[in-house]
Amino acid sequence: MLHRIREVRRAKGYTLLDVAERCNPPTTAQTIGRLETGVRTLSLDWFNRIADALGVDASELVQLPDQEELPVAAHLGIDGVYAPTQADSMVAPRLLGEMVGLRVVDSIGDYRRGDELWCEQMPPERFAEALNCDVLVPRPAGRFLFGRLIGREDGKLHLLPLAAGARQQVVADPAWIARAAKLVRVL
């Protein structure tokens, strides 16, 4: 199986030591290096540990033969724009589990008109994972709320809407929520 661990690690600006320390339980930079290069066998457990350490879904570390890739022409950093020192590419986004979309039709908060948000649906037992994240929450009669999930208490969710000066909203026992997972922005 081909993997993209090194590519994703470098794109996030992490060293081998950074990833090793972020693993649960922590490991050594040498071990991560051996897993990246194939010197050591990459088990499913290691795959998941490294994905968690990198803050990505494990599926984003797998390179499939028919997967679309976009060549990277340049890197942008605080020192300016420069050509990559070696071949680099981006993998086209893919769906993660149960997802729903949210299209931004008017600029609000950090979102611009035309943005598309890919949101991961979550059942009530996973709501705590979305704390301090932007979430879509269904309401009765086909209505929705969208905002930052700032608290959860006795089955009630506390959301801070995106509009400046908007008041906190409280929603009781929604069947699901959807955490914003990917932002697609056309320039």
Side-chain angles (χ1 to χ4, degrees):
M1 168 180 49
L2 297 173
H3 63 79
R4 305 177 53 241
I5 295 173
R6 177 177 287 156
E7 181 182 337
V8 173
R9 175 180 62 78
R10 287 181 174 166
K12 291 191 162 274
Y14 292 156
T15 64
L16 291 171
L17 183 60
D18 293 335
V19 175
E21 290 174 346
R22 292 173 59 105
C23 277
N24 184 14
T27 187
T28 64
Q30 184 179 22
T31 298
I32 299 299
R34 287 178 175 168
L35 291 165
E36 274 188 3
T37 59
V39 171
R40 184 167 174 183
T41 303
L42 187 62
S43 67
L44 186 57
D45 179 55
W46 272 113
F47 219 79
N48 289 327
R49 284 176 62 190
I50 292 171
D52 288 343
L54 291 170
V56 299
D57 189 86
S59 66
E60 294 182 54
L61 298 179
V62 178
Q63 186 173 344
L64 302 172
D66 60 346
Q67 196 169 33
E68 293 288 326
E69 290 197 6
L70 180 67
V72 173
H75 291 175
L76 173 63
I78 59 172
D79 296 330
V81 182
Y82 52 92
T85 55
Q86 57 189 5
D88 193 3
S89 62
M90 295 178 191
V91 175
R94 68 188 83 141
L95 297 179
L96 308 170
E98 296 286 324
M99 296 193 84
V100 295
L102 176 68
R103 180 168 289 133
V104 180
V105 295
D106 293 309
S107 295
I108 185 166
D110 292 332
Y111 302 104
R112 299 183 200 157
R113 181 175 190 215
D115 285 353
E116 294 178 353
L117 292 169
W118 297 15
C119 303
E120 176 189 9
Q121 274 190 287
M122 306 173 112
E125 59 270 14
R126 292 189 53 210
F127 287 177
E129 296 174 35
L131 280 171
N132 296 315
C133 296
D134 290 343
V135 295
L136 178 67
V137 180
R139 302 292 315 268
R143 295 176 297 139
F144 292 91
L145 285 176
F146 185 74
R148 178 71 41 110
L149 180 59
I150 57 172
R152 181 176 177 218
E153 181 181 339
D154 299 326
K156 295 179 182 173
L157 301 180
H158 301 263
L159 287 114
L160 189 58
L162 302 177
R167 300 180 72 181
Q168 175 180 317
Q169 300 284 321
V170 177
V171 182
D173 299 319
W176 57 270
I177 63 173
R179 174 179 57 191
K182 293 202 183 275
L183 168 66
V184 178
R185 177 171 285 168
V186 177
L187 300 176

